[in-house]
Amino acid sequence: MSRDAILGRIREALSVKTDAHVREVAKQSSHSLPVLANGPDGRTQAVKEFLPFVGESLEDHIAAFNVLSDKLQTEFIVVPTIDSARQTLDQLRQKHQWERVGIHDHELVQSCVDQLPVEFLNTSSNYDAHELEKCDVGISGCDALIAQTASALVTNHSAGGRALSVLPPHHVVVADASQMVTTMADGFAMIREKHHEKWPSFISFITGPSRTADIERVLVLGAHGPKKLTIIMISE
Amino acid sequence: MSQSTNPTTQFQTDANRVTADVDRRSFLRSSLRGYQTTRDATQERFLNYESARIAAGDAKWEAIENLDVYLAQFADKLEARGATVHWCSDSAEARDAILDIIKKHDAKSVIKSKCMTTEEIHLNDLLEKEGFEVVESDLGEFIVQLRDEAPYHFVFPAMHLKKEEINTLFQEKLKSINTDDPEELTMVAREVLRQKYLSADIGISGANFGVAETGMISITENEGNARLTTSLPKVHIALMGIEKIIPRLEDLALMLPMLATAGTGQHLTCYNSQLGGPRQDDESDGPVEMHVVLLDNHRTRLLADPEQRDALRCIRCGACLNVCPIFKNVGGHTYGTTYQGPIGSVITPHLRGLKDWKHLSHSSSLCGACSETCPVKIDLHHHLLRNRRDAAGKGQGGLAERTLMLGFTIVMRRPWLYRLTGRLGKLGHVLTKPIHGTRIDPFYAWKKTRDLDDPAKQSFKQYWKSRK
Ligand code: SF4
C-alpha cells in the first residue's frame, strides 16, 4: 500500500543521519544569544521569552490588546458589565442598521442580545448558509483573547460553528475579562483543558477583520470575510 | 513563459527580457521595500528574534528527523476523527485521488483556496479538462487565474501587476466597472466569489502545517477565503506535502507568528485555523467529509540527502524571495518553477531532476541574504553551492565548464604559465579595448553588460615584494 511505501521510503531516507555540520549551522547564532533546550517544552517557553512581551497583569494585557487592535482596525471595547455590553450592542445596531443578526446558543451571547429588536438566526443547529449570508452581523462568543497577538480564539463550540464568524460582513465577539491570556500557547492549553482532548473540528485565531493587500500592496478590509470586527470585553 | 524550450534556455531568455524592463523592476523593488519596512517594525517587537528563529527551526528539525513517526501519528489521529487520508507517491496519484473524490460526489463546481501544492501537481488543468468549474478564491490567485498565468511569487501571486492592468482584466473577464481603485477592485472579486462559495460542492485547500499530536491541519490566511472554502462546501479536500508536519499543537504558538512576520511582516495573519476532521456529531456546520491527500512527489528523495534535507524544513514564508537580488531582477515567472527564488532553486533540482534544473543553482550571487532572513534558519546559499558541486561531480557541468576548469588547473599548477597568462591578459585587455562590448569581442557574452577596469600597473606579487 501507498502508506507503507511512503513510510518505508522515509525510514530508509532517515537511516542516514543528518550531516553534523548542517545541523550545527541551524543552531548557531552569530549573536551569542540564549538558546533554549530542544524539544517541545523549550519551544513553549520560547513563545514567552522571545516573542513580544505584553506584561503580566490584566491591565497590561488590555493595554497591549488595545495597541494592536488599533493597528489591525479591530474595534476593541471594554465595558464594565453585561448591561453595558447590551447597551453597546444596541448602539452598534443603530449605527449599522442591523436587521438580521446571526447568533448561537452561548450563555454570554444570549444574555447580551436578549433585548435587541432584530430578527435572529441561530446557527447552533442545522441552518441555511444562504440565510446566514443575508445577516448583517454574526455575534459569537470565544474561548480566549490572546494579548500577545490581539486575537480572539474560537472553536465551533464557542463561535456557533465554522461560518457564523466569517460569512456575515460584521463579526462581533463578546468575551469576559477572565478569558484574557498571554500567548497563543495559553489559548491552546485552555481548549485542551475544556475539551479533554476531544478536540473540536475547527479552531481559529481571529486577528482583525478580513484583509488583503494583493493589489499593489494597498490594504483593503473585507476581502472575503467580515469587513468589521468588534470585540466587546466585559471587565467585571 | 516559453514552455516548450528547455528550462535553462527559458530561464536565460526570460531573465534577459525581464531585466531589460526597468519600469517593472522598479515597481517590484518598491513593493518589496514596503514589505521590508513593515517586517522590520514587527521584528523589532520581539524580545529576541534570533533565538526565536532557532527555536522555530528546532520544531521543524524534530519533525523532519522523525517524519515516519509523526506522519503516521498525524494520519491515525485524523482518521480516528472521521477524515480520510490518501497517501500519494507522485502527482499522478494525487490527481487521481482528488478526481475520484470529486466524481464520487457528482460535483460540478470546485472552489479552491491558496495551495501551491496543487500548482505542483497541475490540478487545475486536469479538473478543467474533465469539465469541472474550478475557481481560485485567494484574490491574487484569482487574478493570475483570470490571466491564465502561473503565480509570480508563492506568497504574493499577483505582485507583478499594476492596478491598471487588473482593471483592464476585470473589465474584460468580469464585465466589471471601470476602476483602478484597489478597494473597488477587491469588492468586485468579493461579489463574484461569494456566490461561488455558496454553490460549490467541493472545497480544496492546502495546509501550512500538519499537527502530528492532534491530527489537524493548520491554514494561515488573511482574506477569509480558506475559512469559507473549508466551511461551506460539503466536502473538504486538503492537499499537503509530507514535510508540513510539526510535532505538537503548542508549536503553532511559535510557528504562526514566525510565519507571519517573515512572510508579510504582520505579527500574525488574520485567520489561523486548525481543522481536524469533518463536522462532528455535536457540531452544527462544516463539511460532511474531509479528505487529506498526502503528497511525496520526490520529497523522500530530498530527505535521503543528509545535507539538503534541511530544505524540507521550509515553511514557505517567501522571505528568501523578497530579499533575493536575483529574484528582484529576473522576477518570479523566469524561474519556470512552482516554487520561485532561493528555496525553489534549492529544491527544484531534487524534485524535478538536477540535469534540467541545475542552472538555478547559478542564479545566485551567493550573497547569503536568503539564509540570513529565513525564519527557520535553512542554510540556503550553501545548498545552492552543494547543488553546483553535485552537478559538477556528476559531470553535468557541460563541455565549456570542464574545458575552463581544465585550463585553470593547468595554469594554476605552473607558476611560469601563471605569470605568462597574467601578461597575456594585460595585453589582451589593451588590444580588445577598442572593440569592448561589441560582437567581435571574444568575451562578448561576459562583457556586453560589464565594464572592465584597467589592470593595476603592479601585480600583487610585485607589490608584496616591494613592501616596506
Ligand atoms: S526557505 Fe526559509 S525564507 Fe525561504 S520560504 Fe522557506 S522558510 Fe521562508
Side-chain angles (χ1 to χ4, degrees), chain B residues 154 314-321 343 370 373-376 378 380:
Chain B
F154 58 75
C314 172
I315 59 174
R316 298 285 186 272
C317 70
C320 54
L321 283 63
I343 184 64
C370 46
T373 206
C374 175
V376 289
I378 295 172
L380 289 156

Side-chain angles (χ1 to χ4, degrees), chain B residues 63-125:
Chain B
I64 294 300
E65 291 188 325
N66 301 286
L67 193 58
D68 51 338
V69 179
Y70 285 132
L71 198 60
Q73 187 187 12
F74 170 76
D76 292 344
K77 291 270 173 180
L78 263 170
E79 278 169 348
R81 299 162 52 79
T84 313
V85 179
H86 306 258
W87 298 74
C88 303
S89 290
D90 56 26
S91 303
E93 281 186 28
R95 283 194 302 259
D96 287 349
I98 294 172
L99 194 59
D100 268 0
I101 303 166
I102 298 177
K103 283 188 170 158
K104 204 180 83 201
H105 285 276
D106 209 9
K108 305 255 155 0
S109 64
V110 176
I111 187 109
K112 277 182 65 195
S113 65
K114 195 155 184 275
C115 173
M116 292 311 296
T117 321
T118 58
E119 303 279 342
E120 184 183 326
I121 67 169
H122 301 292
L123 184 66
N124 289 10
D125 291 351

Side-chain angles (χ1 to χ4, degrees), chain B residues 12 52 162 194 213-214 257 265 323 351 415 442 449:
Chain B
Q12 268 307 335
K162 299 184 178 177
R194 278 261 136 174
E213 177 207 6
T214 55
V323 300
L351 303 182
T449 53

Side-chain angles (χ1 to χ4, degrees), chain A residues 45-58:
Chain A
Q45 205 185 333
V47 176
K48 283 224 154 61
E49 294 188 14
F50 301 153
L51 265 51
F53 180 69
V54 286
E56 306 285 350
S57 69
L58 180 62

